[in-house]
Amino acid sequence: MAYKKVEQYDGDTTASLIETYERALGLLGEDPQREGLLKTPERIAKAMQFMTQGYQQSSRDILNSAKFHEPISEMIIVKDIEVYSMCEHHMLPFFGKAHVAYIPNGWITGLSKIARVVDVYARRLQVQERLTTQILDAIKDALQPLGVAVVIEASHLCMMMRGVQKQNSVTTTSAFFGEFEKNETRSEFIRLIGSSLH
């Protein structure tokens, strides 16, 4: 049988959200019964559940599902991980890239698990500052590494579409632990995420 992706949504949650979004459309001056909007409340209800699925996921379980003993202590970097999240202040998207590194202390994890941990916390209502530290803390707690580093660069639609309306602004946040608190190690990480080796 061919691979088939199935998205599952809680029925009660979906129904309640549909009612909420139908009412919101009316309050905004639209007609929820207009042909083009008939299925919009259901689409939004499902989209919002998809974009906040991180609340139902465990970063520890993800990292432990592919945890291997390896006697190495060299820097491992997964860079340019796409980030899509929602600003908790306006519920507008922010998006960009995360760069994550750690120095093992006897344990490594599957490379894809690092990207999944980013998604666990990005797929919630967020602020970029907290997202950065949550990713660091998750890796630190699950792998007990010698060091962890996380840098996120993102554009925020709440700054681009409304408010100050600055189209080209980019926000950069960083968090460092352990060996990355040393200038030499941190500088090597910053140099490597800024270079094109491929």
Side-chain angles (χ1 to χ4, degrees), residues 73-101:
S73 57
E74 302 299 326
M75 189 185 305
I76 298 168
I77 302 174
V78 183
K79 69 177 191 174
D80 296 333
I81 302 167
E82 294 93 343
V83 172
Y84 298 96
S85 194
M86 298 272 286
C87 163
E88 69 179 30
H89 300 140
H90 302 97
M91 289 184 67
L92 289 171
F94 66 91
F95 57 93
K97 292 182 177 178
H99 315 287
V100 181

Side-chain angles (χ1 to χ4, degrees), residues 78-174:
V78 183
K79 69 177 191 174
D80 296 333
I81 302 167
E82 294 93 343
V83 172
Y84 298 96
S85 194
M86 298 272 286
C87 163
E88 69 179 30
H89 300 140
H90 302 97
M91 289 184 67
L92 289 171
F94 66 91
F95 57 93
K97 292 182 177 178
H99 315 287
V100 181
Y102 72 101
I103 300 173
N105 188 21
W107 295 95
I108 63 170
T109 190
L111 297 176
S112 69
K113 306 309 178 190
I114 301 296
R116 290 186 186 279
V117 167
V118 171
D119 280 347
V120 164
Y121 295 105
R123 297 297 188 178
R124 301 178 182 193
L125 299 182
Q126 273 291 10
V127 295
Q128 185 176 329
E129 298 89 337
R130 183 172 65 236
L131 172 61
T132 306
T133 59
Q134 285 178 326
I135 295 166
L136 181 141
D137 289 341
I139 295 168
K140 180 177 74 171
D141 294 345
L143 299 180
Q144 301 293 308
L146 298 174
V148 186
V150 180
V151 170
I152 298 178
E153 306 166 278
S155 298
H156 293 247
L157 290 187
C158 58
M159 285 184 65
M160 298 166 72
M161 292 179 66
R162 63 168 309 284
V164 293
Q165 299 180 58
K166 300 302 180 190
Q167 305 306 307
N168 299 307
S169 63
V170 175
T171 300
T172 302
T173 50
S174 62

